[in-house]
Amino acid sequence: MTVMAKPVILAVDDEPEVLNAIERDLRHHFAAAYRVMKARSGAQALDATRQLKQRGTPVALFLVDERMPGMTGTEFLIEALKLYPDARRVLLTAYADTQTAIVGINTVGLDYYLLKPWEPPEERLYPALDDLLLDWLARVRPPFDGLRVAGTALSASSYTVKDFLSRNQVPYQWVDLETDTATRELILSMPEGMSRLPVLLFGDGTKMVQPTVRELADRLGMQTHPKQAALFYQLVIVGGGPAGLAAAVYGASEGLRTLLIERDALGGQAGTSSQIDNYLGFPRGISGADLARRATLQARRFGTEIISAQDVVAIRRQDPYRIAVLSDGSEIPAYAILIASGVQVRTLDVSDVVKLVGAGVYYGAALSEASTYRGKHVYVVGGGNSAGQGAIFFSRYARQVTMLVRGSSLSPSMSRYLIDRIEDAENVDVLYGTTVASVRGQGRLEGLTLADTTSGTTREVDADAMFIFIGSAPRTEMVAGLVERDAQGFVLTGRDLLVDGKWPKTWTANRDPFLFETSVPGVFAAGDARHGSGKRVASAVGEGSATVSMIHEYLETV
């Protein structure tokens, strides 16, 4: 459990003797529960306040001298309360200045004003501050003591960061700058202001402005390079979906020096599934993220090395090695490579959609955005299992979920248990024979034009969000020109390589290919990227596991 940092009491006075005395008395009475800080000017105190806000440290009380050169106490409080509007505020004066107190009450909602000297503190200092701090504790919710992502809900770059963190199961707090005025003031005080979002605020006080996925992975301590550049691997796995993770578990547990490379998030497309109800051994179902987390822990426990936020852009044959070329130009040699890169969602061929991706238009489940559309009307495009799972998940948050299905029924492409759940959901409806003809919106999705596939008629509807599940394409471009693929780009393996009873010219071994081996000996394929695969989580796990025994046999020939 995360423990909240001690709330701060900040004392500000330009007279060193007074400041030291108030600090001494505050520490004597409040040090056990509060962190006492001091500043010698309003400007210095404002800098400290901004740093505390950036770290996510709560400020409970400002105790500020009114008559300071450069910035008065009231002027400081006006700026400080933009960052900490709930902090209690006390002015320190040298005499009973009624007019100053009145101005303070009217301008900054002054809670109290304290006369110098305050001896004895047991009578003239502690009772008043105790009451104010008890009131603050009763009203203020403890802040999140961890990574905060500050941005706007309809910012594509903010969505990219949130999606990466969510899919990699990194805890964070989303701060919407359109509603959180205090954090907005903090961002506006930074050099680039609101021009580049999101801004990531870490618990140690550091920040990142609109980072790339790679930069963020490095900052989070995720491994993005092999631990040793010269280290040689017996098995390199491209892709961290169910097939890749299964191969990593079995390969590493059976003694193979194994490296897995995943460009996005472990779990692949399956990791975005809100609920997998038909996976063996989980009668109540399991989320894709939870399944991925368990499998990743298993793989790492057996010694699999995992590289994140890197893509394999090419694979080269250099006998007896197979070399994976990464997006940063580095190369990793291995005896065997397994292509388990899965598939990627097909894009919707509608003008202007690309401009709204991350701003109301999303490909796949986009689980991190569900709460954003609480009480809203969202559309789900597609009629497969992923679309059905997404619709059921979004129905927990949205007021209404409408599925747009090109065909006349869900039965050909969706499991029966999902159809039953959709039919039972009161806030989910299905429009059959319907496609998206166009989208509209300035900076965010505002509406759709729906087309009837039979009559060709169109109609306009308002839409808060659209989640697209219209099929997938294999992610196998890294082996284009190296291994045989079918017309859709799926990798051919085993007996599917035979053409007129002959193996491809690239097949040079004096044996038949193994069941999951490609046209290049030592390069294997499993899971959704393979031609003829079952396109289910369980079948992907089975293929990834079974491939390892074939890799063992291959390694005996090298």
Side-chain angles (χ1 to χ4, degrees):
M1 182 177 69
T2 301
V3 179
M4 183 182 76
K6 278 186 179 181
V8 167
I9 297 175
L10 179 59
V12 189
D13 199 300
D14 64 313
E15 297 182 43
E17 297 82 1
V18 175
L19 185 59
N20 290 337
I22 193 70
E23 180 194 24
R24 178 200 64 216
D25 288 343
L26 291 173
R27 287 185 186 278
H28 176 75
H29 188 71
F30 297 107
Y34 294 88
R35 177 185 173 194
V36 177
M37 296 179 60
K38 64 180 180 179
R40 295 184 59 178
S41 69
Q44 186 184 77
L46 193 56
D47 286 342
T49 304
R50 287 172 177 153
Q51 291 176 27
L52 290 168
K53 185 68 178 180
Q54 189 168 314
R55 292 188 178 97
T57 303
V59 173
L61 184 142
F62 293 110
L63 178 55
V64 188
D65 182 53
E66 170 60 17
R67 300 181 181 277
M68 295 185 293
M71 179 182 289
T72 67
T74 300
E75 290 170 340
F76 162 74
L77 287 173
I78 289 173
E79 297 303 315
L81 292 175
K82 293 177 182 178
L83 302 176
Y84 289 98
D86 296 312
R88 297 298 172 256
R89 56 220 71 163
V90 177
L91 277 183
L92 195 60
T93 64
Y95 52 88
D97 191 340
T98 305
Q99 185 58 36
T100 294
I102 292 173
V103 171
I105 291 170
N106 292 335
T107 306
V108 295
L110 190 67
D111 293 300
Y112 197 79
Y113 78 97
L114 186 67
L115 296 178
K116 307 176 189 177
W118 51 87
E119 298 293 341
E122 291 78 10
E123 296 178 12
R124 304 179 64 182
L125 177 65
Y126 300 147
L129 299 192
D130 280 336
D131 285 345
L132 292 175
L133 291 171
L134 283 173
D135 184 57
W136 178 84
L137 284 172
R139 295 171 181 268
V140 175
R141 184 179 64 182
F144 178 76
D145 189 18
L147 170 61
R148 291 169 295 148
V149 179
T152 56
L154 295 172
S155 159
S157 54
S158 294
Y159 163 67
T160 298
V161 167
K162 287 194 293 177
D163 187 57
F164 177 79
L165 293 172
S166 296
R167 293 187 62 192
N168 283 281
Q169 301 182 51
V170 177
Y172 72 95
Q173 181 185 59
W174 167 245
V175 181
D176 190 341
L177 295 177
E178 293 179 355
T179 58
D180 191 318
T181 55
T183 306
R184 182 185 178 91
E185 286 294 330
L186 172 68
I187 302 303
L188 287 171
S189 71
M190 296 178 179
E192 294 180 275
M194 297 272 288
S195 63
R196 295 181 64 208
L197 296 176
V199 176
L200 277 66
L201 305 170
F202 294 87
D204 63 359
T206 59
K207 69 179 185 296
M208 296 185 78
V209 178
Q210 205 177 70
T212 65
V213 166
R214 177 70 179 281
E215 291 169 342
L216 181 53
D218 285 332
R219 175 63 177 79
L220 294 171
M222 300 169 70
Q223 185 181 340
T224 57
H225 296 88
K227 290 181 179 178
Q228 300 180 41
L231 189 61
F232 180 81
Y233 298 93
Q234 292 168 298
L235 171 61
V236 166
I237 301 168
V238 182
L245 286 168
V249 168
Y250 280 85
S253 67
E254 294 173 12
L256 298 182
R257 187 177 297 115
T258 303
L259 173 71
L260 186 150
I261 305 167
E262 169 55 49
R263 70 171 185 176
D264 295 320
L266 294 165
Q269 290 294 318
T272 67
S273 177
S274 57
Q275 186 79 356
I276 303 170
D277 283 309
N278 57 355
Y279 190 70
L280 184 67
F282 294 91
R284 294 186 179 180
I286 184 172
S287 72
D290 194 23
L291 187 64
R293 177 184 57 80
R294 292 167 182 248
T296 301
L297 287 173
Q298 260 185 312
R300 285 199 164 112
R301 182 167 66 87
F302 286 122
T304 299
E305 190 176 334
I306 298 176
I307 290 179
S308 301
Q310 278 267 33
D311 199 8
V312 175
V313 296
I315 293 175
R316 192 171 74 251
R317 177 178 182 174
Q318 186 176 317
D319 290 332
Y321 308 118
R322 306 293 177 258
I323 299 174
V325 182
L326 303 188
S327 49
D328 65 357
S330 59
E331 298 185 349
I332 301 176
Y335 277 134
I337 289 182
L338 172 61
I339 307 302
S341 46
V343 294
Q344 52 198 0
V345 177
R346 293 188 187 278
T347 57
L348 187 65
D349 188 16
V350 172
S351 62
D352 292 335
V353 162
V354 67
K355 298 177 183 178
L356 298 176
V357 172
V361 174
Y362 307 94
Y363 284 100
L367 303 183
S368 64
E369 302 306 298
S371 61
T372 302
Y373 297 100
R374 190 183 300 275
K376 304 293 183 65
H377 189 171
V378 305
Y379 285 78
V380 172
V381 183
N385 277 355
S386 295
Q389 290 166 347
I392 293 298
F393 177 75
F394 297 132
S395 70
R396 303 175 193 170
Y397 301 87
R399 170 179 51 83
Q400 181 67 43
V401 177
T402 298
M403 296 186 68
L404 306 177
V405 180
R406 179 185 291 272
S408 59
S409 170
L410 291 172
S411 299
S413 56
M414 188 180 293
S415 298
R416 186 67 238 178
Y417 79 91
L418 272 176
I419 297 175
D420 292 340
R421 292 184 65 185
I422 288 169
E423 291 175 347
D424 291 340
E426 294 182 357
N427 63 335
V428 178
D429 62 356
V430 184
L431 298 181
Y432 297 105
T434 305
T435 60
V436 178
S438 64
V439 300
R440 69 177 186 275
Q442 295 296 322
R444 63 176 294 273
L445 179 68
E446 297 171 2
L448 310 173
T449 302
L450 305 183
D452 187 292
T453 57
T454 302
S455 65
T457 58
T458 62
R459 63 188 178 98
E460 300 287 326
V461 297
D462 294 333
D464 296 299
M466 176 173 65
F467 298 88
I468 303 168
F469 305 82
I470 55 172
S472 52
R475 194 167 65 83
T476 58
E477 57 277 3
M478 79 288 294
V479 291
L482 176 70
V483 305
E484 297 294 319
R485 302 184 295 166
D486 66 14
Q488 288 74 43
F490 293 95
V491 176
L492 296 168
T493 60
R495 303 295 294 179
D496 290 326
L497 291 166
L498 274 175
V499 178
D500 298 328
K502 297 180 180 179
W503 300 117
K505 292 181 180 179
T506 51
W507 185 256
T508 56
N510 294 321
R511 58 174 177 82
D512 291 348
F514 295 115
L515 179 61
F516 298 133
E517 196 169 20
T518 71
S519 57
V520 173
V523 178
F524 297 78
D528 289 356
R530 189 183 71 83
H531 171 85
S533 65
K535 306 298 185 288
R536 290 288 188 270
V537 174
S539 61
V541 170
E543 289 188 14
S545 306
T547 303
V548 173
S549 63
M550 302 172 197
I551 291 172
H552 276 292
E553 290 190 57
Y554 168 75
L555 292 176
E556 292 177 2
T557 69
V558 177

